[in-house]
Amino acid sequence: MNKLKWLLAGCLIAGTAHFSHAQNRTISVKADKLLADVQPTMYGVFFEDINFGADGGIYAELIKNRSFEFFKPMMGWKVLGKPVEGDFLIEARREKNTANPRFLKVKLRNNKKGSIGLANEGFRGMGIQKNLRYDFSLMYKRTGAPVTIHIALVGGSGNQIGESPITLNNTNGKWEKISGTVTSADSANKGSFNLWFEGDGEVELDMISLFPSNTWKQRPGGMRADMIQILADMKPGFLRFPGGCIVEGFDLSQRYQWKKTIGPVEERQMVINRWNFEFAHRPTPDYFQTFGLGFFEYFQLSEDIGAEPLPILNCGMACQFNSAEVVPIDELGPYVQDALDLIEFANGDANTKWGKVRIELGHTKPFNLKMLGIGNENWGPQYLERLKIFSKAIKEKYPQIKLINSSGTDPVGERYEYLNKELRAMNADIIDEHYYRRPEWFLQNAQRYDSFPRTGVKVFAGEYAAQSDKTVSINNKNNWQTALSEAAFLTGLERNADIVVMASYAPLFAHTDAWQWSPDLIWVDNLHVTATPNYYVQKLFSLNKGTNVVSALTDNKVIAGRDSLFASAVIDKNTKELIVKLVNVSGAAQILDIDISGAKKLAKKGELTILQSGAMQALNVVGQAETIVPVTKSINLKGKRVSVSTDPYSLTILKIKMS
Ligand code: AHR
């Protein structure tokens, strides 16, 4: 059996094999042999509203179905007390308000506090933190005397942990927004919210909302700070949004339309989330897109975390796994216009229609959009036909914008071969490749790009994740085996940074009680955020991406699997560091002698960061989030030959200051 096969069968499948070497292996690193620039965009994040990623996830709104627009208008709500039939009515003003037609009309009968009310269950409960202020708001319409509502935070066992009265004073019969606050006396991972009525007569309610006050950058109606912080910690080079299949929609009526996601939240028309019903084995009937997070917020988020914004737009095709609807070519115009308008929205000045809209939304400076994706996982001649129309129109007006093109769903096979060939013939800017594959595939493909043409066409590893089981299987786990194989693969992307300009793991977030797809980079519940080993791999590559790839060879060959080792090396011109990444996928420690040339002088101390586990099935889970975390230590250096002992099943990053 050859070494690679042994490795796959022995190490990765059983996870127990051992390996020993008589001799240390030497890796020659030439710090002055610059092979390619590493793009600042190299490692980024892929965001999609899947697994409660946006609603119930980074969008910090705690009230589920706040405007009663879910298919079942009272989903998530429960009436408290004993109203008379007809006292709680859903009214729909479809003629007057197409975006937000429904509201709740409540009839009060001289009610005392605590006699009648509403409860909201949140997104699989509400995360409530002790001593934190919560910001409440609703829209109401009322005539007659003012009524009082009492808002209450409720703990996991039904105990009230915060209460506040708000009087609805405006009785002129017009819709008005009112706000209030309530502070929690306790924490709850599965809390809920009650709203009690006191008074008489009718009151109409809509957009009932509750946010924690500690949102990201304290923005009212903003994002969950702990979830954004963990992204910021990766220093991602780009933020791809809003997906993913969500861009395509089950059919074209459910496609993502960015213009409907900006402006006042009460005017953003809700759409069923395609992950609501995508998998019969993971139904999520309470999953809708409220678009409380829209394109303005995604651009702003990109800016906040220092990532290049990368919006992906629908190309006139619905998901080809679903309805596969395509828009007729003679009706593609509005789709193309949406793309042109988006560029203007992001970059235009006050004299442009859409630039003005952005400025009115509060962002004077342009967002400096440089790239745009046309289509998600679309394929076939029908895709190319539409893509060409988009490309022509965009390049004519905005030649500097780089376009991301789809190569379908798989990194191999007929669909891929066809698109890859055609897109290269079209001289595409960047081709988006997706790999949801077994860990063995990631190891075997660490050299995938070594033989790719150096023609100018770039690659975006737009969605990748090693699957411990089969793609979309619910048994997929973010175990160390998957993360380690991704680390090995990333050394191959890095070595080929002249053509691979971006990489992102997918999906990004998953709620432990509401996921549809596994594995995922970061798992959350209502109060906790858990980084997977895969997250740490992506983060370590991102934080150590350097500025230039340099030569790292053993016996004059790239290090991509032989003797269970994978390696790449970069220098960082800004910090004057040499960074060597070593991935040992064998079950034995391997001592590597790293011979460094091309640097005048090396510091006397270096830094080793190690991510490692002896157990290939090991996981980080809520409550045990630190099973696999990076550990950094310093090593003494003497001269230009550094001996590094890499642990079994480990990613080791060696960093040395040079001059
Ligand atoms: O990441 C989950 C899904 O995988 C994405 O929505 C889609 O692009 C791919 O099929």
Side-chain angles (χ1 to χ4, degrees), residues 46 48 50 244-246 248 275 376-377 434 436 463 506-507 517:
F46 159 100
E48 177 168 20
I50 182 174
C245 292
I246 211 141
E248 303 161 68
W275 300 107
N376 175 46
E377 279 184 344
H434 294 181
Y436 294 100
E463 295 184 28
W517 182 297

Side-chain angles (χ1 to χ4, degrees), residues 387-401:
L387 174 67
K388 282 177 187 163
I389 297 170
F390 271 90
S391 303
K392 186 164 179 290
I394 295 169
K395 289 289 181 184
E396 260 170 31
K397 198 159 178 202
Y398 300 105
Q400 74 284 10
I401 295 283

Side-chain angles (χ1 to χ4, degrees), residues 407-551:
S407 64
T409 55
D410 287 290
V412 288
E414 239 174 75
R415 281 179 194 152
Y416 171 82
E417 298 301 337
Y418 167 74
L419 281 181
N420 191 41
K421 186 164 155 256
E422 295 291 328
L423 292 173
R424 284 172 186 279
M426 283 165 58
N427 205 17
D429 291 330
I430 303 174
I431 300 179
D432 181 8
E433 299 195 348
H434 294 181
Y435 348 91
Y436 294 100
R437 298 262 150 174
R438 294 273 312 163
E440 300 85 73
W441 184 92
F442 283 83
L443 296 187
Q444 285 159 339
N445 280 272
Q447 283 192 270
R448 175 178 174 86
Y449 296 107
D450 292 0
S451 55
F452 261 49
R454 264 57 198 173
T455 55
V457 178
K458 307 293 180 197
V459 169
F460 169 27
E463 295 184 28
Y464 77 82
Q467 313 285 297
S468 68
D469 194 24
K470 291 186 280 293
T471 314
V472 311
S473 156
I474 56 168
N475 297 322
N476 276 316
K477 299 275 183 263
N478 285 94
N479 63 29
W480 178 232
Q481 181 187 21
T482 60
L484 188 63
S485 72
E486 289 155 8
F489 182 71
L490 290 184
T491 62
L493 298 192
E494 193 164 274
R495 199 177 45 249
N496 287 283
D498 56 329
I499 47 177
V500 183
V501 291
M502 293 188 287
S504 45
Y505 185 102
L508 183 58
F509 285 115
H511 190 294
T512 49
D513 296 330
W515 58 274
Q516 296 77 46
W517 182 297
S518 174
D520 304 284
L521 200 63
I522 299 161
W523 287 80
V524 305
D525 66 14
N526 294 332
L527 285 181
H528 309 95
V529 169
T530 302
T532 61
N534 315 70
Y535 168 85
Y536 287 116
V537 166
Q538 183 87 12
K539 178 177 171 184
L540 287 175
F541 273 77
S542 178
L543 297 187
N544 294 290
K545 65 177 174 292
T547 53
N548 300 80
V549 182
V550 296
S551 162

Side-chain angles (χ1 to χ4, degrees), residues 112 240-242 255 382 421 461 489 582 600 616-617 624:
K112 299 277 167 290
R240 171 186 176 146
F241 58 87
R255 73 188 190 277
Q382 63 275 44
K421 186 164 155 256
F489 182 71
L582 306 161
K600 271 199 206 119
M616 296 298 249
Q617 306 311 319
Q624 276 179 313

Side-chain angles (χ1 to χ4, degrees), residues 120-402:
N120 190 278
E121 67 188 25
F123 294 88
R124 313 301 161 101
M126 285 177 195
I128 299 174
Q129 293 168 49
K130 189 173 175 175
N131 295 332
L132 188 67
R133 192 193 78 227
Y134 287 80
D135 297 331
F136 170 82
S137 66
L138 61 64
M139 297 186 72
Y140 74 99
K141 195 153 82 109
R142 163 100 181 129
T143 50
V147 295
T148 299
I149 54 171
H150 300 267
I151 56 172
L153 302 173
V154 179
S157 46
N159 50 321
Q160 195 163 294
I161 53 178
E163 199 212 308
S164 187
I166 301 170
T167 302
L168 308 184
N169 277 322
N170 180 11
T171 54
N172 68 6
K174 292 195 177 132
W175 283 102
E176 182 166 295
K177 183 173 174 177
I178 192 162
S179 308
T181 64
V182 55
T183 297
S184 178
D186 207 347
S187 290
N189 194 24
K190 295 268 182 192
S192 60
F193 171 82
N194 288 348
L195 190 163
W196 297 99
F197 297 95
E198 183 182 354
D200 199 27
E202 279 180 357
V203 58
E204 294 170 5
L205 307 171
D206 202 359
M207 298 300 291
I208 305 177
S209 172
L210 185 74
F211 277 85
S213 56
N214 63 348
T215 53
W216 173 252
K217 292 193 179 284
Q218 267 79 46
R219 289 198 185 107
M223 302 190 197
R224 208 176 123 174
D226 55 349
M227 291 178 74
I228 301 304
Q229 188 59 54
I230 197 168
L231 298 185
D233 292 345
M234 294 170 81
K235 296 199 189 316
F238 64 90
L239 172 68
R240 171 186 176 146
F241 58 87
C245 292
I246 211 141
V247 170
E248 303 161 68
F250 177 87
D251 61 22
L252 286 170
S253 73
Q254 290 171 16
R255 73 188 190 277
Y256 201 101
Q257 298 184 60
W258 74 267
K259 286 177 184 162
K260 294 188 176 178
T261 73
I262 58 171
V265 284
E266 65 275 15
E267 290 170 19
R268 302 182 190 181
Q269 189 171 1
M270 200 204 66
V271 169
I272 188 167
N273 188 306
R274 53 132 21 238
W275 300 107
N276 178 311
F277 52 86
E278 178 67 12
F279 298 129
H281 57 278
R282 298 293 298 175
T284 318
D286 54 345
Y287 204 2
F288 291 79
Q289 295 184 82
T290 63
F291 299 114
L293 283 187
F295 261 41
F296 180 81
E297 288 78 17
Y298 288 127
F299 275 114
Q300 196 175 41
L301 173 61
S302 310
E303 185 177 78
D304 289 349
I305 61 177
E308 293 291 344
L310 170 51
I312 307 286
L313 294 184
N314 186 293
C315 63
M317 298 173 70
C319 179
Q320 287 162 275
F321 291 117
N322 297 157
S323 70
E325 275 181 6
V326 296
V327 72
I329 291 295
D330 63 356
E331 289 176 28
L332 190 63
Y335 291 71
V336 177
Q337 195 56 49
D338 273 357
L340 296 171
D341 292 344
L342 181 66
I343 300 169
E344 189 175 288
F345 174 74
N347 296 349
D349 63 24
N351 299 315
T352 61
K353 176 179 168 193
W354 288 99
K356 191 158 169 268
V357 172
R358 183 199 70 244
I359 293 165
E360 281 165 5
L361 290 175
H363 202 278
T364 316
K365 283 196 311 196
F367 283 119
N368 200 12
L369 178 70
K370 298 182 186 126
M371 15 177 214
L372 183 62
I374 306 300
N376 175 46
E377 279 184 344
N378 298 110
W379 67 79
Q382 63 275 44
Y383 171 59
L384 290 180
E385 196 184 2
R386 283 159 184 78
L387 174 67
K388 282 177 187 163
I389 297 170
F390 271 90
S391 303
K392 186 164 179 290
I394 295 169
K395 289 289 181 184
E396 260 170 31
K397 198 159 178 202
Y398 300 105
Q400 74 284 10
I401 295 283
K402 297 275 181 232

